[in-house]
Amino acid sequence: AILTVRDTGVGIPEQSLEHIFERFYRVDKARSRQSGGSGLGLAIVRDMVNRNRGSIRVESRIDEPSGTTFTLELPIFDVEEVDTWEE
């Protein structure tokens, strides 16, 4: 399964792209917790994707209308249904 999320924001500087999945990393250092974000969201997403044997990538360009695009790829598992009901 492929999930793509795109915004139309200002973009992420190239030097920050390699760090955005680190815990507590914020691109905009001027932002505080009160004004939004703790720097944990993308680290949590990356961990969840990795635990499910998927991948996540990001593409971003500064000051372009395309903003930032995140693409998540997750395998679709064939789950065997098991009846666990006991009488």
Side-chain angles (χ1 to χ4, degrees), residues 14-32:
E14 189 173 338
Q15 65 271 20
S16 293
L17 288 175
E18 63 186 77
H19 300 287
I20 61 170
F21 295 105
E22 296 172 7
R23 291 180 185 191
F24 304 111
Y25 183 82
R26 290 191 220 152
V27 173
D28 183 357
K29 306 294 187 233
R31 291 180 72 179
S32 66

Side-chain angles (χ1 to χ4, degrees), residues 3-76:
L3 172 69
T4 302
V5 178
R6 178 178 296 136
D7 71 17
T8 56
V10 297
I12 301 171
E14 189 173 338
Q15 65 271 20
S16 293
L17 288 175
E18 63 186 77
H19 300 287
I20 61 170
F21 295 105
E22 296 172 7
R23 291 180 185 191
F24 304 111
Y25 183 82
R26 290 191 220 152
V27 173
D28 183 357
K29 306 294 187 233
R31 291 180 72 179
S32 66
R33 280 191 208 174
Q34 290 78 19
S35 65
S38 63
L40 288 173
L42 289 174
I44 292 169
V45 169
R46 181 202 55 201
D47 287 348
M48 289 175 59
V49 169
N50 287 343
R51 287 175 187 246
N52 286 284
R53 300 182 189 148
S55 65
I56 184 168
R57 65 180 183 275
V58 60
E59 296 175 30
S60 188
R61 292 185 174 46
I62 297 293
D63 296 325
E64 288 193 17
S66 60
T68 301
T69 302
F70 289 90
T71 303
L72 288 80
E73 294 187 32
L74 296 167
I76 297 176

